[in-house]
Amino acid sequence: MSVKYVPVQWNRQKKIYDSILWGGILLFISSYVGFQLLFQTHISLETLIIRATALSAFFLLHLILCIGPLSRLDDRFLPLLYNRRHMGVSMFLLAAIHGIFCIIQFHSLGDTNALVSVFTSNEKYNSISQFPFQVLGFIALCIFFIMAATSHDFWLKNLGPKFWKLMHMLIYMAYGLIIMHVATGAFQYETHPIYWLLLVFGFLNVFGFHLMAGLKEMRYLRVSKKDDEKNNFYFVALEEDIPENSAIQALVEGEDIAIFKYENKISAVSNTCKHQMGPLSEGKIVDGCITCPWHGFQYNPKNGQSPPPFTEKLKTYQLKLIGDEIWIDPKPKAEGTYIEPLVLKSSS
């Protein structure tokens, strides 16, 4: 990563990803437009654009929200996760076209400033059925803009991974606003039950995948017990519990730790990737390095340092082998500190 702004570099993988993404978007929009023109021959071009961009952005938003938990449930979804930012920016562009056309069509013909009109044309803020739904969509669009504008490693590096990640968690707030925007807006006119069923189906998918991923993580999360403490070390696993070139996650004294087995050795580092705070314990050892499952950032398991020219460093932890039991001291060493890995007895 660099602190200097560098334009997005499109490699072959990203070009294929974006080609498939926008090919799918254009196919979706053209199919929707064709369907609308077939059954509503008098529909205006502006209305077509407003509806088509709204529907495609809404569908993409659900897909974006589902990719994260799906990737944690099944590795086959990881290729979708690697360039999810491209999908997010594409979703924002579609939502922006929808918002701009709505403001022009519904708020630009009066004496009031169009943006002011969004907030003042309907002042029934104390009504549920007649709530000014366009305000909800406008606020969500502002959130999408902030997220799209900062979807670059330049901002990730300068804002810091924790703040950047926290800021991008606003997508869930935006999703809630969009759900209310649709429910109090378009659905006041489109009363067919199928629309409500689709809305609920989409919400349940987002909620359900997040719940399943959380339950899976809880199942593998190992929380040490105070009763197991021996000289500040805590029991975390048996040798056989950790698959080769993989890791388990352990939560000890508030420390989120990834414990890796590789080349018949064991090392422990912080479970949080420095790039986008991805869960390293769900990654693999590739070419001798811990490899984050989200975007492929790598670290040396012995000292937590990224290979040159990268400079990211992780906290490391002291381990102890008692019989076939792995014990850990949860007090972290300074980021990048070398710790001799445990050598498993089966190698001697």
Side-chain angles (χ1 to χ4, degrees):
M1 290 192 292
S2 170
V3 294
K4 296 180 179 179
Y5 184 83
V6 178
V8 175
Q9 305 293 311
W10 264 273
N11 55 29
R12 182 174 179 274
Q13 183 199 34
K14 291 180 178 178
K15 289 178 180 177
I16 293 174
Y17 189 99
D18 289 348
S19 298
I20 295 174
L21 172 62
W22 274 98
I25 291 172
L26 294 176
L27 178 63
F28 182 90
I29 290 178
S30 58
S31 300
Y32 176 79
V33 169
F35 182 81
Q36 288 289 306
L37 292 175
L38 185 63
F39 292 98
Q40 298 189 40
T41 54
H42 300 294
I43 192 170
S44 69
L45 177 62
E46 293 81 0
T47 302
L48 259 182
I49 293 173
I50 288 172
R51 291 183 177 179
T53 51
L55 199 60
S56 52
F58 193 52
F59 178 78
L60 265 184
L61 178 59
H62 281 82
L63 190 58
I64 291 166
L65 289 171
C66 289
I67 285 175
L70 281 173
S71 300
R72 306 183 85 165
L73 292 168
D74 192 324
D75 291 349
R76 288 176 294 182
F77 289 98
L78 280 174
L80 290 175
L81 183 68
Y82 291 148
N83 295 299
R84 184 172 53 173
R85 285 190 246 179
H86 294 215
M87 196 176 292
V89 173
S90 300
M91 185 273 293
F92 163 70
L93 292 175
L94 291 168
I97 294 172
H98 167 78
I100 290 170
F101 268 80
C102 283
I103 291 174
I104 293 174
Q105 181 152 327
F106 301 116
H107 298 281
S108 64
L109 301 179
D111 297 330
T112 307
N113 179 283
L115 291 179
V116 174
S117 176
V118 171
F119 292 88
T120 60
S121 60
N122 176 6
E123 297 182 343
K124 297 179 180 177
Y125 287 91
N126 58 352
S127 170
I128 296 178
S129 61
Q130 300 181 58
F131 191 86
F133 66 93
Q134 292 178 343
V135 173
L136 302 172
F138 185 84
I139 296 173
L141 184 60
C142 292
I143 294 174
F144 292 146
F145 168 72
I146 294 172
M147 296 177 65
T150 57
S151 288
H152 191 285
D153 279 350
F154 171 81
W155 292 108
L156 179 64
K157 184 71 174 180
N158 283 280
L159 295 175
K162 288 186 178 179
F163 181 80
W164 187 91
K165 186 71 175 179
L166 184 65
M167 184 173 66
H168 279 247
M169 293 294 282
L170 287 174
I171 192 171
Y172 292 101
M173 177 181 173
Y175 178 61
L177 290 170
I178 290 297
I179 290 289
M180 291 189 289
H181 171 72
V182 173
T184 59
F187 281 15
Q188 299 301 311
Y189 309 100
E190 303 287 354
T191 56
H192 196 286
I194 187 65
Y195 296 112
W196 282 101
L197 288 175
L198 289 173
L199 185 69
V200 172
F201 177 77
F203 173 78
L204 289 179
N205 268 283
V206 172
F207 177 77
F209 286 134
H210 278 78
L211 180 63
M212 291 166 62
L215 291 175
K216 179 185 178 184
E217 186 173 350
M218 289 296 294
R219 189 163 63 246
Y220 289 105
L221 183 65
R222 294 163 187 274
V223 183
S224 290
K225 299 177 181 178
K226 192 69 177 176
D227 293 344
D228 293 328
E229 183 180 7
K230 288 184 179 178
N231 300 320
N232 296 323
F233 279 78
Y234 291 73
F235 169 72
V236 286
L238 300 172
E239 288 183 21
E240 61 188 26
D241 292 337
I242 309 177
E244 183 66 18
N245 291 324
S246 298
I248 60 167
Q249 180 187 10
L251 185 63
V252 189
E253 292 288 296
E255 292 290 319
D256 192 4
I257 305 168
I259 304 171
F260 279 88
K261 179 194 282 185
Y262 58 99
E263 300 172 353
N264 225 25
K265 300 173 183 174
I266 302 282
S267 290
V269 299
S270 168
N271 188 40
T272 306
C273 179
K274 288 287 187 177
H275 180 222
Q276 286 191 17
M277 303 183 74
L280 292 174
S281 61
E282 296 179 15
K284 302 283 185 182
I285 296 289
V286 179
D287 297 330
C289 288
I290 297 168
T291 303
C292 180
W294 282 13
H295 299 95
F297 268 59
Q298 291 190 308
Y299 304 91
N300 186 323
K302 300 173 185 174
N303 57 22
Q305 296 186 19
S306 292
F310 301 105
T311 58
E312 286 71 23
K313 298 176 182 177
L314 300 171
K315 293 182 290 187
T316 53
Y317 299 86
Q318 189 72 51
L319 294 167
K320 179 190 292 185
L321 194 61
I322 302 177
D324 61 348
E325 297 179 347
I326 299 168
W327 293 69
I328 192 167
D329 180 354
K331 185 178 180 179
K333 304 298 181 185
E335 294 179 346
T337 300
Y338 176 87
I339 294 182
E340 190 70 26
L342 287 183
V343 178
L344 301 179
K345 292 181 178 178
S346 54
S347 66
S348 59

